[in-house]
Structures are given as structure tokens and as C-alpha cells.
Amino acid sequence: MSMFFQDTSTARRRRLTMAGLALPSILMMALVNGYPVVVAAVQSVHDGGLLKLGDFVGVENYIRVFQDPLFWKSLRFTVLFAMCGVFGSWVVGFALALFLRTRFPGSAIFRVLLLLPWIVPIVVTAMGWNWLVATRNSIMPQLAEALGFGPVMFLADPTMAVITVCVFKIWISYPFMMMMAAGALETVDQSAIEAARVDGAGPWNLLVHMILPMTARSTYISWILMTMFSVNDFPTIFLLTGGGPVNATSSLVVMAYRTVFQDFQPGYGIAITFVITTALAVLSLCLFNLIRKSSVS
């Protein structure tokens, strides 16, 4: 009995020591991360400018967010942009990861080339895409006209601008998904795959009923990360279209930026960002629930 109480006391002292060592780091992290959030929350309930806090307006800025037609237009584009970023880049990345499991001459160089859209700075990539599509004399409009589609304005027409920005997002995001999928495919049990193949399972059945379920956990994690990357993605949109034409490619982040730094309404702009954060938190909880279910199964 005395040995039991002695072990319990030792374990309690060890836990207290560990907590005491970790406490300064926890307080520092809470201060560094918490202070900006508190300041932003205070600003979101005031109607001041960039330099003055202004008058207290309560939840008026948050009510105004949901009454603003531009917010709903930006929300629709953000959802479309995020879905293209997540599922479009996942399909391309997963297909390339499966293809790269095949050994062929020059495969190592091919892998490096596939990572270029991710490695090259976004400014350089956006300049390259602007050179391809921005004006009527660019390569893609000239090619479209030569093929009989007429004068196609990739960035001046609202519909074409949305399509171009979404394709651009897939282009710069698929290397990340390819890397995640390649890592997940390395964990697939090859003996189970071979056993299923011996039993007559074809490539499609192997993919749908074995490979995808085995890699589901990694897939859900990549979806969560890419959803956050896409919703918070500012440079991809702003460098290509600036949110135009006529706000057709204005995401919520671009709208918040314009509201704070161009319209000088930080309270309203920060209220938009808090709405984005809340929506992302709810979505992440749903996807984490999917991860938990996939782990159980």
C-alpha cells in the first residue's frame, strides 16, 4: 500500500513539473495568438477607421454582412473556388500519384517537373498566366480564335474569368495533393491488393473498393488543409484578376481586403473575416468527424 501511495505522489510531482515547464510557452502562445484576435474582435464592433476605433455599434457590422448582396456573391464564388481547389486538384493529384508509381525512364525528372507549379513563386506563375490569357493578343485568345471560338476574353468576361481563376487554382494546388496522395499510397497494403487481383478484381474495383478506402484518412486531411488554403487564398485571385471583372472573382478574403484597405472600413471588413473563420471551423469539425469515422471503419 505504501509503495502505491509513493508511486502516485511521484507521478503527481512529475505532472506538476511538466506543467510548470510548459506554462511559459503556453502563456506566450496565448499572448501572441490571442492579442490580435481580441483587438480584431473589439474593432469588429466599432465603426472607426484604420487609425481611430470609432463608436461602439455592437453587432451592427455582423448584421450588415448578411444583408450585403456583395457578401453573398463573394460567398458563392468562394464556395465554387474552394470546391475546384479541393476536388479538382485532388483528382489531378491522385491520378498523377497513381501514374508515378509506374517506373519509366526519366520518371525522377518528370516528378520534379510536376512540382514546378508549387515551387515557383505565385507572383511568377501569375505573371506567366497573365501573359497567356490577359489580352486579345495573348496566346490562348489567339488560339481560341484560330479554332473558331471567336474573340474569347479570358479575364475581361465574368464567366471566363471565373473559369480561368478556378483552373489556375487547380494548376498551383495539384502538386500538394499529389504529394499527399503519393504518401498515402505508400501505406496501401500490397498483399491485400495482390490477393484481390488474384480473386479477379479489375483496376476500377481495386481503386474504388480498396485503394480509396485505405487512403481515406489522408484524403480527408488533405481536403481539410486545401479547404482552408482555398478559402484564405488571396494572392491567387488578386494577382490574376484583382477580384474583377465586376466582382465576378471576388472571394470573401478579397472582399475583406478591399473593405479594410481600400474602403477604410476595418470594423466591417473584420466582421467578414470572423464569419469566414466561423464557417471554416464548422466545416473542419465536419471533416474531422469523417476522419474519425474512417479510422473506426
Side-chain angles (χ1 to χ4, degrees):
M1 183 64 76
S2 62
M3 286 287 292
F4 172 77
F5 284 117
Q6 187 176 358
D7 291 343
T8 304
S9 177
T10 302
R12 186 181 297 118
R13 282 200 300 271
R14 186 177 298 144
R15 286 196 296 270
L16 289 173
T17 302
M18 296 299 292
L21 292 173
L23 186 60
S25 300
I26 294 172
L27 290 176
M28 182 61 72
M29 289 181 63
L31 184 64
V32 171
N33 294 298
Y35 177 74
V37 174
V38 172
V39 172
V42 171
Q43 282 191 302
S44 71
V45 293
H46 290 76
D47 66 348
L50 290 175
L51 300 179
K52 293 179 64 176
L53 190 59
D55 298 327
F56 178 76
V57 295
V59 295
E60 185 179 314
N61 285 327
Y62 291 92
I63 296 173
R64 184 182 161 197
V65 168
F66 295 104
Q67 293 175 339
D68 189 347
L70 181 58
F71 168 79
W72 294 107
K73 184 176 183 179
S74 299
L75 177 61
R76 285 194 293 273
F77 174 72
T78 303
V79 171
L80 175 63
F81 182 73
M83 289 182 68
C84 289
V86 173
F87 298 113
S89 61
W90 176 72
V91 170
V92 176
F94 198 90
L96 287 171
L98 283 173
F99 175 71
L100 289 176
R101 290 173 65 83
T102 306
R103 301 293 179 185
F104 57 88
S107 59
I109 298 175
F110 189 58
R111 286 191 181 91
V112 175
L113 292 177
L114 287 174
L115 293 175
L116 283 180
W118 200 30
I119 297 172
V120 175
I122 183 68
V123 175
V124 178
T125 308
M127 287 180 63
W129 274 65
N130 266 297
W131 179 71
L132 284 173
V133 301
T135 68
R136 291 190 63 175
N137 295 323
S138 299
I139 293 176
M140 293 305 294
Q142 291 284 336
L143 180 62
E145 194 161 0
L147 293 174
F149 292 103
V152 180
M153 303 304 293
F154 285 89
L155 298 184
D157 179 75
T159 303
M160 289 306 302
V162 169
I163 295 172
T164 304
V165 169
C166 290
V167 173
F168 182 50
K169 178 62 182 174
I170 294 172
W171 169 258
I172 62 170
S173 300
Y174 84 79
F176 172 79
M177 289 298 200
M178 184 181 71
M179 296 292 289
M180 293 288 290
L185 288 173
E186 292 296 326
T187 65
V188 171
D189 187 354
Q190 292 301 317
S191 60
I193 298 293
E194 290 300 324
R197 190 174 284 129
V198 170
D199 290 339
W204 179 252
N205 285 327
L206 287 175
L207 175 66
V208 174
H209 299 294
M210 297 200 69
I211 295 176
L212 288 180
M214 287 180 182
T215 58
R217 183 182 175 86
S218 174
T219 299
Y220 291 144
I221 292 173
S222 66
W223 287 359
I224 292 174
L225 293 174
M226 187 53 68
T227 300
M228 295 179 181
F229 295 160
S230 299
V231 173
N232 290 316
D233 192 347
F234 176 77
T236 299
I237 299 169
F238 201 77
L239 290 174
L240 199 60
T241 65
V246 289
N247 296 317
T249 60
S250 175
S251 67
L252 290 175
V253 171
V254 172
M255 179 188 174
Y257 168 81
R258 285 175 160 176
T259 304
V260 173
F261 294 104
Q262 294 181 355
D263 300 335
F264 304 111
Q265 302 178 60
Y268 182 49
I270 292 171
I272 295 171
T273 63
F274 273 109
V275 172
I276 299 172
T277 305
T278 305
L280 277 178
V282 172
L283 185 60
S284 299
L285 285 175
C286 295
L287 289 173
F288 272 120
N289 191 40
L290 282 176
I291 293 175
R292 186 180 58 80
K293 287 181 179 178
S294 69
S295 301
V296 171
S297 61

